[in-house]
Amino acid sequence: MKKILVANRGEIALRIMRSAREMGIQTVAVYSEADRNALHVRYADEAVSIGPAASNQSYLVFDKILSACKQTGAEAIHPGYGFLSENAAFARAVKEAGLVLIGPSPEAMEMMGNKLSAKAAALKYNIPMVPGTEEAISDVQEAKNRAVEVGFPILIKAAAGGGGKGMRIVDRVEDFEEQMHLAVSEATSAFGDGSVFIERYVSSPRHIEIQVLGDTHGNIVHLFERECSVQRRHQKVVEEAPSAVLTPEIREQMGKCAVDVARSCNYVGAGTVEFILDEKLNFYFLEMNTRLQVEHPVTEMITGLDLVKEQIKIARGEKLSFKQEDLAIKGHAVELRVYAEDPANNFLPDIGTLQTYRLPQGPGVRVDDGFEEGMEIPIYYDPMIAKLITYGKNREEAIERMIRAIDEYQITGIETTLPFGKFVMQHEAFTSGKFDTHFVKNYFQPENLIEEKVDEAFIAAIIAAQLMQQKPQQGNFASAVKPESAWKKNRTQF
Ligand code: MV4
């Protein structure tokens, strides 16, 4: 494999190219009109323009990606995450064009892409699952009877859904019929497939996922867990590895189950098996994601592996160079997704230019990003600017480093989730490890960030006063405040 095309943009495109370059593999970028000056285009050895900004006219068009391979002689495609990464039809088209997709087979993508077929496959291996129906259920009366057997509260899920789309919680049997009708029509319009199934609703779960790697020789290992419970509206914001609550025994059991789920679909490549964990630490299989995930760096930090290199080696047909017993967790890693969103304003996407953009540095800090100072955040794609990852010998050190790195990270021109990240890192529920998927809803109010904002405005006022009046006179504003102590108190600027 001499040349790889990266069918993606932003931080993940760069991150993939970096590993390819280390392996002596040439890289090809593709870019839309909105990404003409993007870093992934400049970093690649070659770049091919693939059309208008809208992704359905560029990054999602099979033929444009395949032609770019032909044009440049790329032999393999890395799809990153999002876009075409879990598209079985694309995986087939790649194969038919005589190219290699750095990812699983179209069959595995299809089987795991539907929640019901994923559950059916996993059932053969006795994987723990939340009680409910194993098949799509369309008869409302029958569904209601099953719901009564399973017990309320019930969750109605769309088979074709994902990431929380098409889910409905039903607390009481009286509400079941209405909610079922709504769920079916929602699933039909959102996915073109109205199949739904029901599960017992686990009310305060933690979201824990296991990274797996499978090679083309039938070897499958797991790379331990990632805790992803800090999310809002099914959008993850903070992830960490390992989880603060898993015991070595549960970790081993979950790891074995994840390997079995991967085995159930003959999985090849890097994948993630999602579980929920209840208060009693019972775990249940939810679904499998057949791509490299956004939060993969925390796993890289604690295992010392480069997941993109492993994906490439697997795609070249190589055997995994390690066995399960060779793998161990070392240290702790935390990731904060830095979004161009205003956490003080209901996380509304914020658009604009990165007027100031200075990165944190120093021990245990990694930033995966795709922007530079002066660049605009395009409105067409995901609003994630960067992933800030910190590593430490233990959880406390990783968190301390995250707080320090957030303080060093300077972004102006756009509101970001950095202050929200600091709020999480300093919250007792997070530091103690006692939190679930309701963390944001339960503990976060925009007012939590206002104090920080007031401090910033205060410092700005001091600077303004000093500029206007170099020598403070007795009784004026500049002499009334103590700039020194205020600077020390708030370390967000130097
Ligand atoms: C659940 C659940 C509780 N009980 N299933 C949300 C996304 C999709 N992957 C499955 N999800 C859930 N399934 C049962 N039976 C709670 C969630 C859930 C959730 C799961 C993982 C991460 C964040 C979540 C936020 C809300 C609900």
Side-chain angles (χ1 to χ4, degrees):
M1 210 180 271
K2 292 198 177 68
K3 199 185 271 192
I4 291 175
L5 181 140
V6 180
N8 215 301
R9 62 179 300 282
E11 66 88 17
I12 194 63
L14 269 168
R15 191 261 162 273
I16 293 162
M17 289 176 194
R18 289 194 159 108
S19 289
R21 180 158 297 169
E22 286 177 24
M23 296 169 88
I25 299 169
Q26 297 271 302
T27 56
V28 180
V30 290
Y31 63 97
S32 73
E33 277 162 25
D35 284 334
R36 199 166 286 283
N37 301 312
L39 288 184
H40 79 277
V41 178
R42 278 191 263 152
Y43 191 92
D45 296 300
E46 289 167 83
V48 180
S49 158
I50 52 166
S55 48
N56 62 3
Q57 293 177 66
S58 49
Y59 295 107
L60 290 172
V61 183
F62 294 13
D63 285 344
K64 290 189 177 180
I65 307 292
L66 298 176
S67 318
C69 284
K70 284 240 165 66
Q71 190 185 320
T72 55
E75 308 134 86
I77 299 174
H78 196 307
Y81 54 72
F83 296 128
L84 298 169
S85 60
E86 294 179 281
N87 188 317
F90 179 68
R92 253 184 212 111
V94 170
K95 217 177 220 175
E96 277 158 20
L99 301 165
V100 173
L101 184 80
I102 301 171
S105 68
E107 292 75 26
M109 279 187 199
E110 244 153 26
M111 198 184 288
M112 292 298 147
N114 181 287
K115 292 185 178 184
L116 280 172
S117 56
K119 283 181 92 167
L123 215 54
K124 295 188 191 123
Y125 283 85
N126 273 318
I127 311 291
M129 279 183 257
V130 189
T133 56
E134 260 100 63
E135 269 153 43
I137 198 153
S138 51
D139 185 276
V140 180
Q141 198 50 50
E142 194 193 330
K144 195 165 155 180
N145 294 341
R146 290 288 296 131
V148 171
E149 281 168 32
V150 168
F152 284 83
I154 285 284
L155 195 57
I156 307 177
K157 293 185 175 184
K165 274 185 231 142
M167 296 197 331
R168 277 181 178 269
I169 303 164
V170 192
D171 288 318
R172 312 174 312 157
V173 65
E174 301 91 276
D175 303 330
F176 188 83
E177 279 178 48
E178 187 191 347
Q179 292 298 318
M180 169 112 177
H181 285 299
L182 287 169
V184 172
S185 67
E186 217 173 76
T188 309
S189 62
F191 315 112
D193 175 0
S195 327
V196 298
F197 61 102
I198 62 171
E199 274 178 7
R200 175 81 205 254
Y201 177 57
V202 181
S203 59
S204 297
R206 299 174 74 109
H207 178 190
I208 296 193
E209 56 188 34
I210 307 265
Q211 176 72 53
V212 297
L213 282 178
D215 67 19
T216 53
H217 307 271
N219 304 301
I220 306 177
V221 298
H222 72 85
L223 305 180
F224 315 106
E225 79 278 6
R226 292 186 288 260
E227 158 84 59
C228 309
S229 297
V230 181
Q231 53 85 44
R232 36 144 214 115
R233 290 184 243 124
H234 302 291
Q235 173 97 278
K236 294 167 189 164
V237 197
V238 172
E239 301 103 342
E240 64 177 314
S243 160
V245 292
L246 288 201
T247 62
E249 293 72 32
I250 299 174
R251 176 171 295 123
E252 193 183 324
Q253 286 171 18
M254 285 180 89
K256 280 210 171 90
C257 285
V259 167
D260 281 342
V261 171
R263 206 176 296 290
S264 78
C265 62
N266 300 314
Y267 200 81
V268 171
T272 298
V273 182
E274 261 186 49
F275 297 91
I276 46 176
L277 195 75
D278 69 15
E279 293 96 331
K280 293 176 192 144
L281 303 186
N282 297 307
F283 63 88
Y284 309 97
F285 167 64
L286 281 187
E287 54 193 273
M288 181 171 188
N289 301 320
T290 57
R291 60 170 190 274
L292 182 72
Q293 301 217 157
V294 174
E295 59 272 25
H296 76 276
V298 292
T299 300
E300 297 187 318
M301 305 303 269
I302 63 154
T303 58
L305 290 168
D306 179 323
L307 286 179
V308 173
K309 283 186 186 167
E310 294 305 324
Q311 287 185 297
I312 293 172
K313 287 193 259 181
I314 290 165
R316 292 198 300 218
E318 293 171 30
K319 282 188 181 154
L320 290 176
S321 63
F322 41 82
K323 294 199 162 59
Q324 190 65 56
E325 53 272 27
D326 302 327
L327 297 165
I329 297 175
K330 184 163 182 254
H332 200 100
V334 180
E335 173 177 284
L336 169 65
R337 298 193 191 186
V338 184
Y339 288 107
E341 290 175 350
D342 186 0
N345 192 6
N346 203 23
F347 294 93
L348 217 69
D350 199 26
I351 49 165
T353 305
L354 291 169
Q355 267 151 16
T356 319
Y357 188 71
R358 304 215 189 112
L359 294 179
Q361 295 183 334
V365 176
R366 165 175 170 181
V367 180
D368 282 21
D369 68 1
F371 292 99
E372 271 181 337
E373 195 163 271
M375 278 184 171
E376 224 169 274
I377 311 294
I379 55 165
Y380 304 96
Y381 316 107
D382 188 80
M384 196 176 76
I385 302 170
K387 303 186 303 209
L388 173 56
I389 304 116
T390 57
Y391 175 80
K393 61 184 176 298
N394 54 35
R395 191 166 188 264
E396 291 66 38
E397 190 175 55
I399 292 173
E400 284 162 6
R401 283 184 166 153
M402 180 58 82
I403 294 169
R404 189 262 297 168
I406 290 170
D407 285 346
E408 284 183 28
Y409 213 148
Q410 288 182 268
I411 303 180
T412 66
I414 280 173
E415 294 297 332
T416 74
T417 47
L418 279 173
F420 171 77
K422 189 166 170 181
F423 166 82
V424 176
M425 296 301 135
Q426 293 177 328
H427 198 283
E428 200 272 333
F430 185 77
T431 56
S432 66
K434 294 190 190 89
F435 57 98
D436 57 43
T437 53
H438 303 299
F439 177 90
V440 181
K441 195 179 69 188
N442 285 350
Y443 304 118
F444 179 69
Q445 284 112 25
E447 296 81 61
N448 297 129
L449 301 181
I450 284 171
E451 201 182 329
E452 189 103 350
K453 287 219 161 196
V454 169
D455 283 352
E456 278 173 27
F458 190 58
I459 290 167
I462 293 162
I463 294 167
Q466 287 189 329
L467 284 174
M468 288 196 310
Q469 201 166 339
Q470 296 284 2
K471 280 185 192 157
Q473 307 282 303
Q474 203 187 3
N476 71 13
F477 179 65
S479 69
V481 295
K482 292 192 181 72
E484 291 298 326
S485 61
W487 279 84
K488 274 179 196 148
K489 197 173 120 243
N490 183 305
R491 295 173 290 125
T492 56
Q493 307 189 27
F494 326 104

